[in-house]
Amino acid sequence: MFSDFINQFWPASIDGLAFGSIYALIALGYTMVYGVLRLINFAHSEVFMIGTFGAMFVPFTLGIDSTLTGIALVGVILAMIVAGMLASAGTAIALEQVAYKPLRKRGASRLAALISAIGASIFLQELFALVVIPGVFDRPERGRIQMGLPRLMERSELFSIAGHPVRVDQVVVIIAAIGMMIALDALVNRTKIGRGIRATAQNPEAATLMGVDINNIVRMTFLIGGAMAGVAGALYLISYENTNYYIGFLFGIKAFTAAVLGGIGNLRGALVGGIVLGLVENYGAILVGSDWKHVISFTILILVLMFRPTGILGESLQQARA
């Protein structure tokens, strides 16, 4: 058992970092919405799912059926990321306007908003299971199938660590995810809209008196969180080359686990939680078998909620310095 762990440590670490980066990007949406509205947006998992389909639309539209190199590859990857961001951000804003804003205006309880989130999640899942998109979903099974993406880049070795290869796609996922997280951290901490988000999270009434447009801040929070999920969707698709209408379910729960693990409401906590979760579930899979991989993730969630509900970092978005 332990000899297997030693032999597979570096491959599992690289895979864990790649998966953890995707978890972290999705977790950012959970943690931002919770920080501002004290709401767990369970429909966020479907925002990620729609991001994968938005990104998939690009190579299907361009008719790509073979690997790319050079400028063409970079251009297609960027186009997929932008398409994923637009699809997910648009979905997130629509969710806020349709599923949450009417409840906020009526002063509904958080339980009502939570039920609305679950309903919206199921609706979006079933919508994409039924819809037909020419060139993407044009078979009788419609959306209830695994959709594959043609391989865009060669899975070639970029460099090696302790004799174990690190692939190009893994490096692309990790670097792109870290870059987006750094950009989001700078936006929240150094811009006017970021100050508005933190002020609203800390005290909505006082923020309103200071001239902050709460509705606009909430809308921007959903937009930014949705865009991060769209990036995650595009990166997942580039690396793992498949998607389906229920893919958001498992990734959504794991991203929520990452948000809780790092400290719900804490942007940097979402990053830490995602990376730690990706690594731990991969290490656990070596020790007890890959069939237990998902069990490990949910066991972590239960243990964190029982013994450290504030998470690893424990600081929420509302406590960040203005």
Side-chain angles (χ1 to χ4, degrees), residues 134-153:
V136 180
F137 288 135
D138 51 9
R139 283 175 275 182
E141 305 95 329
R142 296 190 177 186
R144 296 186 187 276
I145 55 176
Q146 187 91 342
M147 295 299 302
L149 177 75
R151 178 155 294 182
L152 297 178
M153 66 175 74

Side-chain angles (χ1 to χ4, degrees), residues 3-322:
S3 61
D4 289 339
F5 180 80
I6 297 299
N7 293 333
Q8 299 180 46
F9 176 80
W10 285 112
S13 296
I14 299 302
D15 281 338
L17 286 174
F19 261 112
S21 298
I22 294 171
Y23 295 156
L25 284 172
I26 305 171
L28 289 170
Y30 285 108
T31 208
M32 289 187 70
V33 171
Y34 180 83
V36 172
L37 293 178
R38 289 295 180 269
L39 165 70
I40 302 299
N41 177 22
F42 281 116
H44 190 63
S45 57
E46 272 49 69
V47 173
F48 162 74
M49 177 268 291
I50 291 172
T52 64
F53 284 111
M56 178 175 280
F57 190 74
V58 172
F60 270 96
T61 301
L62 297 176
I64 297 171
D65 57 4
S66 60
T67 57
L68 303 173
T69 57
I71 299 298
L73 175 61
V74 174
V76 169
I77 289 176
L78 291 177
M80 291 177 66
I81 290 174
V82 171
M85 291 176 70
L86 291 175
S88 291
T91 302
I93 292 176
L95 277 172
E96 194 277 326
Q97 293 291 309
V98 174
Y100 303 131
K101 188 175 181 179
L103 297 178
R104 289 205 321 274
K105 284 187 173 181
R106 294 171 185 158
S109 67
R110 291 175 186 168
L111 178 60
L114 183 63
I115 294 171
S116 180
I118 295 172
S121 175
I122 296 172
F123 169 78
L124 289 173
Q125 270 194 21
E126 292 304 312
L127 177 65
F128 272 74
L130 294 173
V131 73
V132 175
I133 303 175
V136 180
F137 288 135
D138 51 9
R139 283 175 275 182
E141 305 95 329
R142 296 190 177 186
R144 296 186 187 276
I145 55 176
Q146 187 91 342
M147 295 299 302
L149 177 75
R151 178 155 294 182
L152 297 178
M153 66 175 74
E154 293 290 346
R155 296 296 192 260
S156 56
E157 177 183 341
L158 187 62
F159 59 89
S160 63
I161 299 177
H164 296 283
V166 178
R167 302 194 314 267
V168 174
D169 60 296
Q170 294 171 324
V171 175
V172 169
V173 169
I174 294 169
I175 291 178
I178 292 175
M180 294 303 300
M181 292 175 215
I182 292 173
L184 177 60
D185 188 75
L187 184 148
V188 170
N189 288 288
R190 299 181 184 178
T191 66
K192 182 178 179 180
I193 190 69
R195 288 194 294 272
I197 290 172
R198 287 181 286 127
T200 303
Q202 185 173 11
N203 192 322
E205 292 78 13
T208 300
L209 293 174
M210 296 299 293
V212 176
D213 185 342
I214 299 297
N215 286 327
N216 183 57
I217 290 299
V218 171
R219 190 161 48 247
M220 287 300 299
T221 300
F222 274 86
L223 185 149
I224 295 169
M228 294 298 106
V231 175
L235 295 178
Y236 170 82
L237 195 64
I238 289 167
S239 187
Y240 299 100
E241 301 172 341
N242 67 81
T243 187
N244 53 64
Y245 75 100
Y246 57 85
I247 195 170
F249 175 75
L250 192 58
F251 273 84
I253 295 178
K254 289 190 176 183
F256 174 66
T257 301
V260 173
L261 177 60
I264 189 74
N266 187 321
L267 296 181
R268 294 172 185 174
L271 168 61
V272 172
I275 297 300
V276 170
L277 180 63
L279 292 172
V280 170
E281 71 174 15
N282 269 25
Y283 295 154
I286 298 174
L287 295 174
V288 298
S290 58
D291 291 341
W292 291 82
K293 189 173 184 178
H294 303 322
V295 176
I296 293 169
S297 301
F298 302 137
T299 301
I300 291 173
L301 174 60
I302 294 170
L303 293 176
V304 171
L305 290 174
M306 287 177 61
F307 298 108
R308 189 174 173 81
T310 57
I312 295 174
L313 300 186
E315 178 190 1
S316 66
L317 184 64
Q318 65 176 344
Q319 294 172 316
R321 290 186 301 169

